[in-house]
Amino acid sequence: MSPGDDTGQTRTRLPEGGGDPYGGGRRGARSSSRSLVTVVGVVVLLIAAIAFANRGGDDSAADEGGSGDSPKSAATAPSGKKPVDAKTSGIPSGFAHDKQGAQSAAANYTVALGSAEMFDKDRRREIVATVYAPNDADARQADLDRAYSNAEFLANIGLDKDGKAPTGQTFVSRVIPVGTKVTSSSSNDASVEVWYTSLFGLSGEGSTNPVTESWYTTTYQLKWTENDWKVIDFQQKDGPVPVGHDQRASTADDMTKAVEEFGGFTYAR
C-alpha cells in the first residue's frame, strides 16, 4: 500500500532505519506486525470524529471564515468563538449544531481516539461510548478490544500484554490537529477533513521504538444523532507532509519531560 493512498485506514508507523536517538537497538518491523498496526489504526479512526454538539445553531458564511469575498486563508483562520466548556467522560462535548461545531468536534475527537488512553481497556471503552454513533458503538468496542489485546502487536510497539510501557519508559501516542475544513454539509450531515500530525513511540533510555512523527488528513462523515454529531464513516490519507527541519532529535529525558509536563488543548474552530 503506497503512501498517499486513500485507504480508510490509519496507520501507526514504526521507526525504520537510521540511528536510534535514544541509544537503544532498533527492532526491525515484521510484515505481520505492520498488518496488526494497520488493523488497530483502522478501528481507531473509525471511531474518530463523533460527539459533536448539543447547542443549536445555523450554518452561515461566518462559520467558514466570512463572506465569499474573503481571502482563502480565512477558511482556516480561527473563528474567534469561544470553545466548549462541557465534557463527557473527560472529552470536550456540547459543540454547536453547525459547520463550526462539526469541525471543532472532529478535531477534539481525533485527539481522543489517537491518545495513549486507547491502550487502556476501561478508558478505551469510555472513549468509544462517548464518540461513536450509538448503533455502532458495541461493534466498534469488540473490534478495538481484539486489536488492542493482540500480544504480537503490543510486543512490537514495546508494550506488555496490558498495554503498559516498560519500567523507566513512557508511551507516547498523541494527535495534534493543524486545521479543519468542511467539504460538504446539510442540516444533519457533514463531511469534515482534519489535517494533523501524530507522535508515537516510547521515550526513555533504551527504547527500541523512539517517538516519531507522521502526518495525515482524515475525512469524517458525520451525522447529527441524539443531539450529537456522530461519525458514520471516514477515509484517511498521508500528508500533506512538510519538509523536515534540520533539528537535532531531543534526548530521551527531554522527550519524557515534555510528554509529562505539556498538557493538551480543547480545540475550537
Side-chain angles (χ1 to χ4, degrees), residues 22-24 168-170 202-208 210-211 251-253 255-256:
Y22 295 155
Q169 296 182 19
T170 300
L202 288 168
S203 67
E205 295 295 340
S207 169
T208 58
V211 180
T251 65
D253 187 50
M255 181 62 70
T256 299

Side-chain angles (χ1 to χ4, degrees), residues 72-183:
K72 289 184 177 180
S73 61
T76 56
S79 65
K81 294 184 179 180
K82 293 177 63 177
V84 297
D85 54 12
K87 290 187 176 182
T88 301
S89 297
I91 302 171
S93 62
F95 296 92
H97 187 185
D98 57 18
K99 292 179 181 178
Q100 177 186 306
Q103 291 177 84
S104 295
N108 281 282
Y109 288 97
T110 299
V111 171
L113 291 161
S115 69
E117 292 182 319
M118 290 293 291
F119 286 77
D120 178 89
K121 183 177 181 179
D122 292 336
R123 181 59 182 149
R124 178 171 67 249
R125 291 184 171 182
E126 289 181 344
I127 293 172
V128 174
T130 299
V131 303
Y132 254 113
N135 292 339
D136 295 333
D138 288 343
R140 297 307 176 200
Q141 293 280 21
D143 289 342
L144 285 163
D145 285 345
R146 283 193 295 271
Y148 279 98
S149 62
N150 186 290
E152 183 180 4
F153 164 70
L154 293 172
N156 274 283
I157 61 175
L159 304 180
D160 66 18
K161 63 182 180 62
D162 296 316
K164 305 295 184 183
T167 301
Q169 296 182 19
T170 300
F171 177 52
V172 181
S173 182
R174 284 197 184 189
V175 166
I176 305 96
V178 176
T180 63
K181 69 175 180 179
V182 172
T183 54

